[in-house]
Amino acid sequence: MSYKLVVCDMDGTLLTSQHRISDYTADIIKKIEKKGVKFLIATGRPFLDAKHYRDTLNLSSFLITSNGARAHNEKNEVIVAEDIPQKFTEKLLSYDLDRKKYHRNIYLDNDWFIEYEIEGLREFHEESGFQFQITDLDKFKNGAVTKIFFLAEENDLEKLEKKLVKDLENDLSITISSPYCLEFMKKGVNKAETLKKVLKILDISPNEVIAFGDSMNDYEMLSFVGKPFIMGNANKRLIESLPNVEVIGNNNEDAIGKKLQEIFEI
């Protein structure tokens, strides 16, 4: 099979635990691009955050962000914009939750809003320079937003997931992007659905696509493409959900670079 596109998740996949793209993997990505293979980032992070990493690679490529709620073309023009309808934004923000236990977050286009700072948030985005704004999230109840997500300890998040999936699975797309992050988008939004739209523009078939991911927000994408790979550090739920997908090395071992070097014989 002649592959024309590589799609890659960011956190836990393309990025090391220091939130960087290793020099080795960056070099391999540049080499496959010279061979005519496109490289596309598909992430739960917002556009401006992901754009930093794309620009670091000096790529002119599409971007899928906010788990598919947004996509931009090579000219940074919006080609997909799917927001949570106001009635579900209000419902999500109206749950009576322990605000110290469950940290609420909102993406609205290129902005990230939180209610208070918690440990690790600045470090997580230090490389890209993308920063949050602290405000009262209840003021967003009266409008549509791009994405809402909750951060919590793993056991607490599992309890919240069970409750909210039961209440909202017919109304919203719900996914886990890490053991500590539960995410909500407009119903039907995920990386795969947005990738389908990008592939139509690029005139590339799913069978001509390689994809890498590490968490449940990558499940649909990995199920859709011709050649999927799961990271060795992936969420066990993802590995169990896709037992026939090859598991490669972890994100700190240049696993993506090594696999691409192997496939494209660089």
Side-chain angles (χ1 to χ4, degrees):
M1 171 61 68
S2 177
Y3 297 106
K4 297 180 179 179
L5 175 68
V6 176
V7 184
C8 195
D9 171 55
M10 276 179 44
D11 294 294
T13 304
L14 179 62
L15 303 186
T16 67
S17 56
Q18 285 74 46
H19 314 298
R20 295 185 63 255
I21 304 171
S22 77
D23 292 339
Y24 169 80
T25 295
D27 182 60
I28 295 298
I29 291 169
K30 291 171 186 176
K31 286 179 178 177
I32 67 168
E33 186 190 33
K34 288 181 180 178
K35 291 171 71 77
V37 179
K38 296 181 180 295
F39 188 89
L40 187 157
I41 290 172
T43 178
R45 295 203 197 192
F47 168 68
L48 290 180
D49 203 354
K51 180 178 179 293
H52 164 81
Y53 291 96
R54 185 194 65 183
D55 293 348
T56 296
L57 293 168
N58 294 315
L59 297 176
S60 175
S61 64
F62 285 66
L63 276 174
I64 295 173
T65 56
S66 295
N67 284 330
R70 291 289 185 275
H72 291 72
N73 65 16
E74 295 147 329
K75 297 179 180 179
N76 297 323
E77 298 165 334
V78 177
I79 58 170
V80 173
E82 301 283 0
D83 288 331
I84 297 174
Q86 182 273 329
K87 63 180 178 179
F88 299 123
T89 298
E90 181 178 9
K91 186 172 183 178
L92 267 174
L93 295 177
S94 296
Y95 279 99
D96 185 17
L97 302 176
D98 183 338
R99 301 288 177 82
K100 293 183 179 180
K101 184 182 293 185
Y102 298 106
H103 187 260
R104 305 191 304 175
N105 297 251
I106 285 177
Y107 286 169
L108 179 55
D109 292 323
N110 292 322
D111 293 314
W112 172 22
F113 300 99
I114 64 173
E115 294 170 300
Y116 58 91
E117 185 172 352
I118 59 174
E119 184 179 356
L121 284 190
R122 290 187 186 275
E123 177 185 340
F124 197 77
H125 297 270
E126 184 177 5
E127 173 70 20
S128 69
F130 186 76
Q131 288 297 331
F132 49 75
Q133 301 174 48
I134 297 176
T135 189
D136 176 10
L137 296 193
D138 286 335
K139 71 181 184 181
F140 294 100
K141 286 182 178 180
N142 295 323
V145 300
T146 305
K147 186 175 85 168
I148 296 175
F149 58 104
F150 298 90
L151 302 173
E153 294 297 322
E154 188 170 359
N155 290 338
D156 292 327
L157 200 74
E158 288 179 357
K159 295 174 185 177
L160 183 64
E161 180 187 10
K162 289 177 182 178
K163 172 179 172 55
L164 296 189
V165 166
K166 183 178 179 181
D167 289 350
L168 295 166
E169 63 180 343
N170 294 323
D171 303 319
L172 294 168
S173 286
I174 306 170
T175 192
I176 291 283
S177 60
S178 83
Y180 312 101
C181 186
L182 178 64
E183 309 205 7
F184 299 84
M185 289 74 59
K186 181 182 177 180
K187 185 68 176 176
V189 167
N190 58 59
K191 293 181 183 181
E193 289 302 312
T194 301
L195 179 58
K196 290 176 185 178
K197 298 171 184 176
V198 172
L199 293 185
K200 187 174 181 179
I201 295 170
L202 295 175
D203 192 24
I204 293 175
S205 104
N207 288 333
E208 297 172 311
V209 179
I210 296 169
F212 298 90
D214 78 306
S215 200
M216 290 306 293
N217 64 327
D218 299 310
Y219 172 82
E220 293 87 357
M221 178 176 75
L222 296 176
S223 301
F224 171 63
V225 303
K227 193 66 174 175
F229 294 100
I230 296 175
M231 304 302 293
N233 51 283
N235 187 319
K236 290 181 180 179
R237 288 169 63 173
L238 181 67
I239 296 173
E240 292 169 356
S241 298
L242 296 170
N244 296 320
V245 174
E246 180 180 345
V247 178
I248 61 174
N250 71 50
N251 62 318
N252 291 316
E253 298 175 339
D254 287 316
I256 290 173
K258 291 174 182 176
K259 180 56 68 173
L260 292 177
Q261 185 174 30
E262 173 191 323
I263 292 171
F264 294 103
E265 300 179 343
I266 298 170

